[in-house]
Amino acid sequence: MDIALVIFWLFAGVSILYVVHFGLYLVGANFYDIWQQRRKAMKRVRLPVEYEAECAATATWTRRALPEVPGLVSIVVAAHNEEPVIVRTLDSIRRSTYRTFEVFVADDASTDLTGRLVRDYQVRHPEMNLRIVRMRKNVGKGAALNSVLRRHARGQFVMTLDADSIIEPDAITNALSYFDDPYVAGVAANVQVLEETTVLGILQRFEHMIGYRSKKLYSLLNCEFVVGGVASTYRMRVLRKVGFYDTDTLTEDIGLSTKITSLGNRRFRMIYGADVVAKTEGVLTLRALAKQRYRWKYGSIQNLVKYRGMTFNPSRRYTGTLTYYRMPMALLSEFTLLVSPLAWTYAVYWSLVTRTPALILGAYATITAYTLLTVWMDENLTRRERVRLSVYAPTAYFLFYIMDLVQLTAAVRCIARSRGLFRRPEINTWKSPQRAASLVVVTRAA
Amino acid sequence: MTRIESVAVAAQSTFGRDGAMFESLLDFVAQLSVVLWILVTLTAVMRFVGIRIYRRSAARIARVETVAPAAPVSAAAVPTTTPEIDLVQPAAGQLTDGGLVRLGVFGSTAAEKDALLVPAEPVGGELSDVMTTDAVTNSTFGEVLQPAEAPAAGTASVKLPRHAPRNRRAEHRSAAHVPALAANSTEP
């Protein structure tokens, strides 16, 4: 067996695959933008047909459950020691242009002033339908959300929000507009990182922009199954159908969206709403970033393992793009991440030997152009923000190496603790990372 | 300093071949990139053109919608389903788009459309205008004749009680009752 040849073809295959993939992202995003404008211009009612294949669309309304109030949105904010940021989050909800909502703060046994701040907010804003549901002990984010959704939420729609995130005033209105289509089960929000001037802040901002832009292609191809927890909106009936959040993975939000997708996505599906804008805080230190990414990667792999049955599944319930493209690509990306140092070494070695800087320069030019296109075509950025991010764009190529390193470390740590990927614990508790707002509070206190 | 060319590779015999393959891979990836960038540029142009077209059509629809509510809707254009509804045709002013949306028949928001799919919630008084025929007979929906059971003959223009009220003086009579009473009079 010719090892050199195997490595060459592996490298060639992955390189070509990713070049094509990048191109598809951009092309898909362009078509998504057209579709988005068409959707806004030509609002039509689409009524469901009589026969429904087994999927989330057949969600049943149980008598035991609280009755849904049509048009009401239950916003559930999961909080665990979020005193620096919780008021800002509630403020953003209060400024929403959609007024028919109820807000629940699922206080997961916070030991700081979170509960007191929320109660104070209740007193100051009695017109806001705000309630706090306090857990007696730290039960984990998924279990805390479940507790609120099962016992208290009455809305026809549910929007979940992290306590460190804020929503734009028209986010709820825009999210609900996607549910005009009766086959939309959930809407993923366009999550942006709050303005940061640090290297890590800019890196996370670029990463979020590029990552969420890729969702446009997935949404268009109807193969999206990863919906984050920030400002994601679901139909309550669908959540009841799937039994709300699972608590056996580290990323309960991805677990929920994957669980809904696993019921079938051919007709009932997830949509990415580019105009449902939410902003979240980036982490401040490399250590915190590494910790966050480890948690995300571990949870993602747990879900990929848990729902591995969807990969290459020929069932008519799933679209081919999901089972033969999105799921295998998700697995492949983990593999390519692990072999990326080898590929990088291989590329640099041959570039030096053949004295050809074309690959390095080409990769740099491609990533920079890709970043610039993402910035310029982002419909939610102001002109000033576009100019500012365009100035930073030439550094994106180098910044992504930092992220690659962080992701690689996370992947290695996942392999080291691979037992938990298959034998998942019942409950996963959580701890908030250090955020910019917390530093502001500490500084003020000092 | 050691020159890069002097570094030994694992398979010296395949070195030239691998170098050539690497360069050919570079050529291929470069050509592929060019094709993809052309595709991306073309779709970007399509994006701008498409967005402009749909924006214009949205603006046109918005202009039409701002003009349309001012015009009264003719009663013939309103779909009717039962004879009972015919009797209590709402006024033309109530038949604007907004009125229909409130009835939940042609709802424009997701909430209204979804409300059609979920089990019926108690409907507010202002939404039940079309069913006020029941209020006339003061009976429940189940007691009223359904369209299939309803008599084919048309009802009288003015409904008269079958039995005369015990206290005639107490009954309020408007001017509209006079010709009707005259028409039903047994006197020559």
Side-chain angles (χ1 to χ4, degrees):
Chain A
M1 189 179 174
D2 192 342
I3 299 291
L5 208 60
V6 170
I7 291 174
F8 170 80
W9 281 115
L10 196 67
F11 176 75
V14 171
S15 307
I16 292 166
L17 189 71
Y18 273 86
V19 167
V20 172
H21 215 167
F22 269 146
L24 283 180
Y25 279 159
L26 289 172
V27 170
N30 287 337
F31 283 120
Y32 173 93
D33 289 344
I34 299 172
W35 170 79
Q36 180 77 270
Q37 197 60 46
R38 182 175 185 270
R39 191 183 69 86
K40 284 177 182 172
M42 306 172 78
K43 284 195 172 179
R44 276 182 299 185
V45 180
R46 190 181 159 201
L47 292 171
V49 293
E50 282 179 15
Y51 171 74
E52 305 280 5
E54 170 57 23
C55 63
T58 58
T60 50
W61 185 84
T62 56
R63 285 183 183 278
R64 280 189 303 167
L66 284 168
E68 293 173 8
V69 179
L72 182 71
V73 181
S74 299
I75 304 170
V76 189
V77 184
H80 175 67
N81 293 341
E82 307 281 5
E83 64 176 19
V85 287
I86 189 74
V87 173
R88 188 184 60 186
T89 306
L90 295 174
D91 274 338
S92 79
I93 297 169
R94 194 167 55 84
R95 282 195 294 269
S96 176
T97 52
Y98 190 85
R99 302 306 305 165
T100 317
F101 60 77
E102 55 179 3
V103 186
F104 296 96
V105 176
D107 181 6
D108 194 7
S110 298
T111 52
D112 63 355
L113 294 174
T114 303
R116 193 176 291 180
L117 287 171
V118 176
R119 280 193 291 275
D120 179 55
Y121 202 90
Q122 274 178 321
V123 173
R124 281 192 290 124
H125 301 283
E127 79 285 354
M128 191 170 160
N129 190 357
L130 169 65
R131 274 174 279 177
I132 181 165
V133 182
R134 188 173 161 76
M135 309 297 131
R136 286 178 187 163
K137 61 174 184 176
N138 189 214
V139 291
K141 188 177 170 185
L145 289 170
N146 279 347
S147 172
V148 171
L149 291 170
R150 284 199 174 114
R151 293 177 193 170
H152 305 282
R154 298 174 304 125
Q156 187 186 355
F157 304 101
V158 174
M159 178 182 268
T160 54
L161 204 59
D162 286 354
D164 62 334
S165 312
I166 55 173
I167 52 171
E168 291 288 303
D170 56 355
I172 303 175
T173 311
N174 291 342
L176 292 193
S177 73
Y178 290 91
F179 291 103
D180 282 354
D181 184 342
Y183 296 112
V184 171
V187 177
N190 180 1
V191 184
Q192 300 175 349
V193 172
L194 282 165
E195 196 167 317
E196 280 297 330
T197 48
T198 60
V199 172
L200 275 185
I202 293 162
L203 165 62
Q204 288 173 83
R205 185 133 199 219
F206 278 143
E207 193 216 10
H208 271 70
M209 284 175 72
I210 290 175
Y212 277 90
R213 193 164 178 78
S214 69
K215 281 183 182 291
K216 290 185 173 182
L217 171 72
Y218 297 144
S219 187
L220 210 65
L221 296 179
N222 189 13
C223 59
E224 183 55 280
F225 71 94
V226 177
V227 176
V230 178
S232 51
T233 315
Y234 294 97
R235 288 180 198 275
M236 178 60 104
R237 282 183 298 149
V238 174
L239 295 193
R240 287 197 204 286
K241 167 92 175 178
V242 298
F244 301 97
Y245 288 91
D246 281 348
T247 54
D248 59 347
T249 60
L250 275 178
T251 49
E252 72 297 318
D253 42 7
I254 300 174
L256 177 66
S257 57
T258 316
K259 186 160 68 164
I260 293 170
T261 310
S262 71
L263 288 177
N265 76 324
R266 186 167 284 278
R267 198 175 272 167
F268 223 54
R269 61 187 186 278
M270 301 290 170
I271 289 271
Y272 166 63
D275 53 350
V276 185
V277 181
K279 293 187 176 176
T280 190
E281 282 201 4
V283 290
L284 291 172
T285 61
L286 204 59
R287 191 186 174 86
L289 183 70
K291 200 173 175 182
Q292 184 195 50
R293 294 312 155 109
Y294 166 64
R295 182 176 158 267
W296 287 4
K297 189 159 286 297
Y298 202 84
S300 302
I301 298 175
Q302 277 182 324
N303 280 307
L304 280 177
V305 171
K306 188 175 175 183
Y307 297 101
R308 60 189 177 278
M310 280 200 288
T311 313
F312 298 121
N313 193 323
S315 170
R316 289 277 300 161
R317 283 192 298 175
Y318 306 116
T319 55
T321 47
L322 175 74
T323 58
Y324 296 107
Y325 165 63
R326 182 75 175 92
M327 292 294 288
M329 274 304 290
L331 286 169
L332 188 68
S333 65
E334 303 300 335
F335 170 73
T336 51
L337 180 69
L338 288 172
V339 298
S340 62
L342 186 69
W344 190 83
T345 312
Y346 186 84
V348 169
Y349 172 76
W350 279 110
S351 294
L352 290 172
V353 166
T354 55
R355 294 179 181 177
T356 312
L359 189 68
I360 308 288
L361 288 177
Y364 175 77
T366 305
I367 296 291
T368 307
Y370 188 80
T371 310
L372 280 172
L373 263 181
T374 305
V375 169
W376 291 339
M377 295 213 175
D378 193 317
E379 55 278 70
N380 300 305
L381 289 180
T382 60
R383 187 182 290 271
R384 193 180 165 199
E385 277 179 317
R386 276 190 193 143
V387 172
R388 197 174 73 88
L389 288 172
S390 298
V391 172
Y392 293 133
T395 63
Y397 179 77
F398 305 105
L399 292 178
F400 287 140
Y401 275 118
I402 299 175
M403 191 54 84
D404 274 358
L405 196 67
V406 169
Q407 296 274 20
L408 184 66
T409 313
V412 172
R413 284 178 70 190
C414 289
I415 291 170
R417 298 181 186 182
S418 56
R419 202 174 165 187
L421 298 174
F422 299 92
R423 291 182 181 178
R424 294 177 294 277
E426 278 294 307
I427 294 281
N428 287 286
T429 54
W430 56 316
K431 194 180 173 186
S432 302
Q434 193 185 30
R435 296 185 178 106
S438 60
L439 284 189
V440 173
V441 170
V442 170
T443 315
R444 279 181 190 164
Chain B
M1 187 181 157
T2 311
R3 288 175 64 82
I4 194 73
E5 290 86 347
S6 63
V7 176
V9 291
Q12 284 283 5
S13 57
T14 60
F15 187 81
R17 182 200 65 181
D18 288 359
M21 282 171 73
F22 182 76
E23 286 188 331
S24 65
L25 173 68
L26 281 186
D27 284 345
F28 178 73
V29 171
Q31 286 171 18
L32 187 67
S33 298
V34 170
V35 171
L36 285 170
W37 277 116
I38 289 169
L39 192 67
V40 168
T41 313
L42 274 175
T43 53
V45 172
M46 285 167 65
R47 172 191 184 272
F48 285 114
V49 173
I51 284 177
R52 174 163 285 199
I53 289 169
Y54 285 120
R55 267 200 192 139
R56 279 188 178 180
S57 75
R60 200 169 53 239
I61 290 167
R63 271 201 304 275
V64 169
E65 277 176 355
T66 50
V67 173
V73 181
S74 67
V78 180
T80 53
T81 49
T82 62
E84 284 83 357
I85 289 174
D86 281 338
L87 287 175
V88 285
Q89 202 67 262
Q94 291 175 275
L95 294 174
T96 56
D97 264 353
L100 290 173
V101 168
R102 282 170 60 209
L103 293 174
V105 180
F106 305 109
S108 62
T109 64
E112 284 157 354
K113 270 166 263 168
D114 227 56
L116 297 172
L117 309 176
V118 297
E121 291 291 322
V123 184
E126 74 279 10
L127 300 185
S128 56
D129 283 348
V130 286
M131 296 304 289
T132 50
T133 40
D134 291 354
V136 173
T137 55
N138 205 17
S139 56
T140 60
F141 187 74
E143 292 164 8
V144 177
L145 287 178
Q146 296 305 302
E149 305 161 21
T155 51
S157 58
V158 175
K159 285 184 179 175
L160 292 171
R162 286 181 185 175
H163 305 288
R166 288 181 183 174
N167 185 3
R168 284 176 183 267
R169 285 177 193 169
E171 190 187 11
H172 172 74
R173 292 208 176 124
S174 66
H177 282 78
V178 177
L181 286 172
N184 287 288
S185 173
T186 51
E187 291 175 13

